[in-house]
Amino acid sequence: MNATGDSAGRTVALVTGGSKGLGAAIAKTLAADGMSVAINYHSDHAAARQVRTQIREAGHVAEIFQADVTDPDQVAELNAGIFSALGSVDVLVLNATGPQPDAEIEDLSWDEMLRQFEYFARSPLLLAQATIPRMRRQGYGRIISIGSEAFELGTPGSSAYVAAKGAQLGLTRSWARELGPTGITVNLVAPGFIPTERHAAVSEQDRDTYGAGVPMHRLGHPDDVAAAVSFLASPYAGFVTGQRIAVNGGHTL
Ligand SMILES: NC(=O)c1ccc[n+]([C@@H]2O[C@H](COP(=O)([O-])OP(=O)(O)OC[C@H]3O[C@@H](n4cnc5c(N)ncnc54)[C@H](OP(=O)(O)O)[C@@H]3O)[C@@H](O)[C@H]2O)c1
């Protein structure tokens, strides 16, 4: 059996798309929890560096790794790079997303549909295949996907995204059963609408309308999602697997 963690015994967490939005909040929270955090990003090197700087200035440990997590060769290189720099991946947070098409049925192309499945089914498979062998050997691992309430709501005009988010939940449930005996847990956190940089164009009125429909009468914050991930990544969640935790103020209760 391998020991978990980096050379200092810290649990190592990989957060895909950790350079901004929810991923950045998750990376900072897991680092504050005492983990050594691998921040993956795709194109925005400056944003990734900024998250790493914030984590280091707070006295915690982080490194940045550029890779397109939908590409098999780049995922293999990412895994090798993290292993060489940090020694392990004990917690895998599947968070990265690209643009999400707004298109009604007649206007939706198969390529657009496929691109969503590359993010939410292919990339999780590639990353799980890269990291699970070591998790199995050490008898410990945490896989946490960031899903969406959109799957439960069946958001119209977003069927490619919704379908791919459904695939993510299906993987979570099958993998939880498959990996149950190994000490690896697999769960999904499903946020509601949480404004990040990419939602700059969403009007105040639309934000207020959404918030008014949330039982807790507010929009979520990236830290709300990070807190749920922190719990699932912690020893306190050792007997929780195959679950979907909605972080949306009760919007889908
Ligand atoms: N925010 C919400 O309202 C909301 C609601 C429900 C669910 N979610 C889910 O939460 C997750 C994060 O969403 P977000 O709103 O925080 O997104 P975001 O702010 O747009 O951030 C996306 C992140 O993914 C990275 N990324 C994009 N393509 C990548 C690729 N091919 N390989 C590696 N990294 C890549 C980006 O890196 P670069 O910038 O370097 O390209 C960035 O760090 C997603 O799974 C999303 O579906 C979000």
Side-chain angles (χ1 to χ4, degrees), residues 32-234:
D33 287 345
M35 295 186 195
S36 180
V37 177
I39 301 162
N40 157 253
Y41 68 103
H42 183 224
S43 52
D44 195 341
H45 183 69
R49 280 184 52 166
Q50 194 184 2
V51 177
R52 180 179 64 183
T53 300
Q54 288 166 345
I55 289 175
R56 289 183 175 173
E57 283 177 357
H60 309 304
V61 180
E63 223 5 292
I64 58 175
F65 298 88
Q66 191 282 330
D68 176 351
V69 291
T70 67
D71 179 276
D73 293 340
Q74 294 191 40
V75 169
E77 273 177 40
L78 171 68
N79 188 50
I82 296 172
F83 189 77
S84 147
L86 303 175
S88 188
V89 174
D90 312 304
V91 174
L92 172 60
V93 183
L94 301 162
N95 166 80
T97 183
Q100 300 154 9
D102 256 340
E104 298 196 348
I105 304 164
E106 292 88 339
D107 302 322
L108 186 62
S109 71
W110 176 243
D111 280 350
E112 284 174 313
M113 183 77 107
L114 202 54
R115 191 66 186 134
Q116 296 305 301
F117 279 86
E118 283 174 347
Y119 271 99
F120 302 125
R122 185 186 208 196
S123 173
L125 179 64
L126 295 172
L127 285 154
Q129 287 175 333
T131 55
I132 281 174
R134 184 180 163 85
M135 290 182 184
R136 279 188 193 273
R137 284 197 299 278
Q138 67 192 16
Y140 179 86
R142 299 274 198 265
I143 300 176
I144 303 160
S145 286
I146 309 304
S148 173
E149 69 173 13
F151 174 65
E152 285 231 306
L153 295 173
T155 312
S158 297
S159 58
Y161 177 70
V162 169
K165 285 294 183 189
Q168 224 184 1
L169 184 59
L171 293 177
T172 300
R173 290 178 174 163
S174 281
W175 290 355
R177 284 195 190 277
E178 210 172 309
L179 297 171
T182 67
I184 304 168
T185 64
V186 190
N187 291 288
L188 180 139
V189 173
F193 169 50
I194 298 181
T196 64
E197 296 91 321
R198 75 188 159 92
H199 297 108
V202 178
S203 69
E204 278 303 314
Q205 192 187 349
D206 285 351
R207 292 172 193 230
D208 291 348
T209 304
Y210 176 90
V214 172
M216 294 186 76
H217 280 193
R218 72 166 173 90
L219 296 185
H221 187 275
D223 288 341
D224 294 318
V225 176
V229 173
S230 166
F231 165 68
L232 289 170
S234 78

